[in-house]
Amino acid sequence: MIWPYIFISYLSLFVFGLCDNVRGPLFPEIMKDFGVSDSIGSLMYALSSISGFISSYLVRHLLRRYNRLSVLQGGAVALIISMLGMSLSPNFKVFLACSFVFGLSLGIIGLIPNILVPLGASSEKKQQLLAGLHAMYGVASFLSPLLAAGIQWLTGTWRWTFVVAGIAPLGLFLYSLHSSHGDLHQKSEITAEFRKLNRKMNLKPQVFMALMLSFCVAAEILISSRLALYMRRVWNLDMEHASLYVTYFFMSMLFGRLLFAFVKFPLSVRRQLSWSLVGSVCCLLAGIHLHPIFISLVGFTVAPFYPLSIAWISTKFPQDLDSAVSYMMTIDSVMLVVMHLLVGQVTDHFGIGKALYLAPIFFLLSFILVNAFEAIFERNRPI
């Protein structure tokens, strides 16, 4: 076990979750303040996802020139600058420019921990430590709407929330300077010959698994980023009460990931992923047709999907993890761009209630890919 890898990864994903999810509860207020429509407002998410795609692609090249710690430090500094920029934006164009830098930095901070934990964890504890890693995302995501609602109540403006949340990446940067990291963080040592072999042998299964993960993440982010808007427009709640449902969503996700951090279930990864997706669809449809609290419970059912997928990917490509995770984050960013733009258009034309039906479609596509992987790539070997 390489504990400095684990500690900085846990802190990094906490920062990632806090900064990424603080925008959801603020989304209606930001649109109102700048006077933009749903489709234009969705550019806030789309641009950060586009830049996340760019940074996820570029990180592979950065890791050949710099060690992982230096790349992570650069991402933390960029995140601090972008959050201060969003808080001070005089108009929506400047806000979008800062959102672009915001996405670049999050792309780095979200990628590095998913490399370091599999590298630092023993094979017996890898799945549980990855669940614990993404439980940190759950903790941060649970706190982010509370932070947004609290700062809004204290100051009467959404802008101070970005300032206060910017303390988190500052703390990450300062911790990264601690002497415990020393010479642990090395550059990725992948030869040109190995990269050529990787493109030939691993590209298709890596992209396939990245798509599998990205469809589920798109559904998860659709729900978390639009739930406050859904509760305000469909159920006519104010910002504070609408934010509570987002809090319940992330609380459920936290409980789910903590459960998988402490309990290792005797099921194959494929079956665990499948049950996660089936449960998510059932809860979401129940939330739309029965009571919205079931939408918040999707956080619990979808919770294990991401860490289980990372553990799966790390076992399939242990010698090429930098590249595999980079493909995953790159395709995830593209998927999120498509999702945010699509949701914005559907919301403008049909309302947020209809846009929410896109989430079970994404879950279904992910379910199909989960169960097709073995048949396509591992006919003679069980998952």
Side-chain angles (χ1 to χ4, degrees):
M1 299 285 284
I2 307 176
W3 286 110
Y5 281 10
I6 309 299
F7 293 150
I8 198 167
S9 296
Y10 274 43
L11 179 58
S12 296
L13 216 64
F14 177 86
V15 171
F16 179 91
L18 187 73
C19 297
D20 188 33
N21 290 293
V22 80
R23 298 175 298 168
L26 301 177
F27 185 53
E29 299 300 317
I30 293 171
M31 288 194 299
K32 180 181 177 181
D33 196 13
F34 289 120
V36 296
S37 66
D38 285 290
S39 56
I40 298 299
S42 293
L43 290 174
M44 174 182 82
Y45 292 112
L47 273 179
S48 62
S49 297
I50 290 171
S51 58
F53 158 75
I54 295 172
S55 67
S56 298
Y57 179 79
L58 290 178
V59 162
R60 282 185 297 160
H61 302 286
L62 290 174
L63 290 174
R64 294 170 197 161
R65 294 175 61 89
Y66 308 100
N67 65 55
R68 298 181 183 101
L69 184 63
S70 298
V71 174
L72 184 62
Q73 288 171 336
V77 171
L79 184 56
I80 296 167
I81 294 171
S82 65
M83 296 196 75
L84 288 176
M86 286 189 287
S87 71
L88 298 171
S89 297
N91 55 61
F92 197 59
K93 289 182 179 178
V94 175
F95 186 88
L96 289 179
C98 293
S99 294
F100 187 85
V101 179
F102 179 86
L104 286 174
S105 57
L106 281 188
I108 295 171
I109 292 175
L111 188 152
I112 299 297
N114 286 300
I115 297 172
L116 291 181
V117 169
L119 290 176
S122 64
S123 57
E124 296 81 10
K125 295 292 184 180
K126 183 184 298 183
Q127 183 174 315
Q128 290 169 283
L129 283 171
L130 280 166
L133 171 68
H134 291 278
M136 295 304 296
Y137 180 89
V139 171
S141 301
F142 164 69
L143 293 175
S144 59
L146 294 177
L147 177 67
I151 299 300
Q152 171 78 16
W153 180 77
L154 287 172
T155 65
T157 175
W158 55 268
R159 294 178 182 271
W160 272 104
T161 303
F162 285 107
V163 177
V164 175
I167 296 173
L170 176 61
L172 172 62
F173 177 78
L174 293 176
Y175 173 70
S176 72
L177 302 176
H178 192 271
S179 59
S180 62
H181 296 284
D183 298 325
L184 283 174
H185 299 266
Q186 304 296 325
K187 291 189 292 184
S188 178
E189 300 294 340
I190 299 178
T191 64
E193 182 180 353
F194 186 86
R195 286 195 296 270
K196 184 177 180 180
L197 181 64
N198 167 63
R199 284 195 298 268
K200 183 177 180 181
M201 297 183 61
N202 291 339
L203 178 59
K204 288 183 180 180
Q206 285 179 357
V207 170
F208 192 96
M209 296 185 83
L211 284 170
M212 172 203 79
L213 178 61
S214 296
F215 277 121
C216 182
V217 171
E220 175 194 322
I221 300 300
L222 190 163
I223 296 168
S224 64
S225 65
R226 298 310 199 279
L227 182 53
L229 186 66
Y230 175 81
M231 297 308 300
R232 295 191 71 174
R233 292 187 179 175
V234 176
W235 290 85
N236 299 314
L237 299 183
D238 58 23
M239 178 184 171
E240 288 75 15
H241 287 89
S243 295
L244 283 177
Y245 279 85
V246 183
T247 301
Y248 299 151
F249 176 87
F250 289 120
M251 186 186 302
S252 298
M253 181 177 289
L254 173 59
F255 288 156
R257 286 184 174 161
L258 285 174
L259 175 64
F260 274 77
F262 291 104
V263 180
K264 190 172 183 179
F265 292 93
L267 295 173
S268 67
V269 174
R270 178 179 61 80
R271 291 198 177 194
Q272 291 183 71
L273 293 173
S274 297
W275 279 113
S276 172
L277 294 166
V278 170
S280 298
V281 171
C282 292
C283 284
L284 181 56
L285 293 178
I288 294 173
H289 294 286
L290 297 177
H291 192 281
I293 194 63
F294 287 103
I295 301 178
S296 296
L297 291 179
V298 175
F300 181 82
T301 56
V302 80
F305 194 93
Y306 202 103
L308 283 172
S309 297
I310 298 296
W312 196 12
I313 290 171
S314 69
T315 59
K316 302 304 179 187
F317 313 105
Q319 303 301 319
D320 192 23
L321 193 55
D322 286 342
S323 179
V325 173
S326 178
Y327 278 125
M328 178 200 76
M329 298 292 288
T330 301
I331 292 175
D332 190 29
S333 298
V334 174
M335 190 71 70
L336 290 179
V337 172
V338 174
M339 182 275 290
H340 284 305
L341 293 176
L342 181 60
V343 170
Q345 289 295 322
V346 173
T347 301
D348 274 347
H349 289 89
F350 303 104
I352 186 63
K354 294 293 188 295
L356 213 60
Y357 279 101
L358 292 170
I361 295 174
F362 289 137
F363 281 136
L364 176 61
L365 291 171
S366 183
F367 178 86
I368 293 171
L369 295 179
V370 166
N371 289 280
F373 185 87
E374 184 178 13
I376 295 173
F377 297 105
E378 300 190 351
R379 292 182 179 88
N380 300 318
R381 186 156 54 100
I383 298 177

